[in-house]
Amino acid sequence: MVYGNEDSGERIVTLLRLTNYLVYKSFVLIKIMKILSITITNFRGISDATTVSFNDFCCIVGKNDAGKSTILKALDLFLNESAIRKEDKNIHTQNDIITIELVFETPKTPIIVDDAIETTFKEEKLVDRDGYIRIKKEWDTSVGKIKSKTFIYRGKYDAFDIFKSTERELTKKCSELGIETKKGNGEIYNNKEKRVKIEQHLVANGHVLEYVFDELPSTGQTRAKKLLDVLRTLMPSFEYFKADSS
């Protein structure tokens, strides 16, 4: 929907319905994981970090070349890994890194990262201090073949990275800390239960939960790679048609 007076130089050009879909002329976004905000840095006409927050219904208002289309192209780049060019970097900065960060409402449904055992983003400390999921992507435009790097903002203890640890590493850490790995009936605690016990020990001994952006690898069989696969299944679908835009 497009509203407003052309002569005024200001138009309401975009109607967003982020709980189910987003429509902008020929753009459609279908909701799987609700987007709360986007922060764009060094992309096209946006140089400094610029954040746009979304509600269930939103209108983007601005004059021509104010950056309305840039927001939608940033969503397309992030969600669809659309083609990126060196020219997409803002021309007024010396920084070669394009950064786009999305903040999502955390799904209440369980996820499975490994071991076929249900867990949650909160239990795995994969949310920020406010309980939201923050995912950042970066593109280095100084290299020949530009590829994205994906990061998640998460909590990790200074003494031990519980989330990334393998079964062997968890068992070894339990042994080091004097944590029993067998139940009363002789059954071995599963990895999720070991992580809970290790965290309880770390908290009881004053270890600090630090929040950092941690890169998620695009290859391999690690928990971090499996988390990236899970996140991809929860991302909103975004279709971008270039008929209305350069």
Side-chain angles (χ1 to χ4, degrees):
M1 287 185 185
V2 179
Y3 299 97
N5 188 338
E6 292 278 1
D7 297 331
S8 68
E10 183 175 280
R11 299 197 301 166
I12 300 174
V13 298
T14 309
L15 176 63
L16 307 182
R17 177 71 165 96
L18 287 178
T19 53
N20 293 313
Y21 54 84
L22 174 152
V23 179
Y24 168 75
K25 295 181 180 177
S26 50
F27 298 80
V28 178
L29 175 65
I30 302 173
K31 179 255 185 185
I32 296 178
M33 193 162 66
K34 182 180 177 182
I35 301 173
L36 300 178
S37 69
I38 182 171
T39 299
I40 304 167
T41 306
N42 199 30
F43 180 59
R44 297 176 65 88
I46 297 177
S47 55
D48 298 327
T50 301
T51 299
V52 177
S53 298
F54 301 122
N55 295 314
D56 287 351
F57 288 92
C58 302
C59 289
I60 298 178
V61 182
K63 298 180 180 179
N64 289 341
D65 297 323
K68 302 181 298 294
S69 295
T70 298
I71 296 170
L72 299 175
K73 290 177 180 179
L75 284 169
D76 183 52
L77 179 60
F78 188 105
L79 296 171
N80 294 333
E81 290 287 342
S82 56
I84 188 170
R85 308 167 300 166
K86 292 182 181 292
E87 294 78 12
D88 287 324
K89 182 186 82 71
N90 184 269
I91 62 174
H92 300 295
T93 68
Q94 298 300 315
N95 182 14
D96 291 319
I97 307 297
I98 293 172
T99 303
I100 301 172
E101 178 186 339
L102 293 186
V103 177
F104 296 90
E105 187 174 78
T106 304
K108 296 179 181 179
T109 54
I111 58 172
I112 295 178
V113 179
D114 57 9
D115 302 327
I117 298 174
E118 290 186 347
T119 185
T120 66
F121 286 100
K122 184 176 180 180
E123 288 174 338
E124 299 286 352
K125 303 298 183 288
L126 299 174
V127 297
D128 65 14
R129 290 178 176 85
D130 297 318
Y132 300 126
I133 296 173
R134 291 173 57 185
I135 304 172
K136 178 177 70 173
K137 288 190 178 183
E138 293 182 350
W139 294 262
D140 185 352
T141 61
S142 68
V143 299
K145 189 174 182 180
I146 305 173
K147 294 183 178 180
S148 66
K149 292 183 178 181
T150 303
F151 304 79
I152 187 168
Y153 192 72
R154 70 182 184 93
K156 57 189 297 188
Y157 288 95
D158 54 350
F160 186 66
D161 192 343
I162 299 174
F163 172 76
K164 284 188 173 181
S165 297
T166 63
E167 181 175 9
R168 183 177 180 179
E169 291 167 338
L170 291 170
T171 301
K172 180 180 178 181
K173 178 56 67 173
C174 285
S175 177
E176 292 175 358
L177 299 177
I179 298 173
E180 183 58 61
T181 56
K182 287 186 179 180
K183 302 178 183 179
N185 60 3
E187 182 181 343
I188 301 295
Y189 284 110
N190 62 41
N191 289 342
K192 180 178 179 180
E193 292 168 329
K194 291 174 187 174
R195 290 188 175 94
V196 170
K197 287 184 170 293
I198 292 173
E199 181 179 7
Q200 290 172 344
H201 185 282
L202 295 178
V203 171
N205 286 273
H207 291 283
V208 179
L209 185 67
E210 301 174 340
Y211 286 86
V212 297
F213 269 111
D214 195 31
E215 184 175 358
L216 299 177
S218 58
T219 59
Q221 295 297 320
T222 63
R223 288 196 95 218
K225 169 57 170 61
K226 292 175 181 177
L227 172 62
L228 180 61
D229 294 338
V230 170
L231 288 169
R232 284 171 172 163
T233 66
L234 297 174
M235 291 290 173
S237 298
F238 187 94
E239 298 298 332
Y240 178 85
F241 301 94
K242 297 184 178 179
D244 300 318
S245 176
S246 59

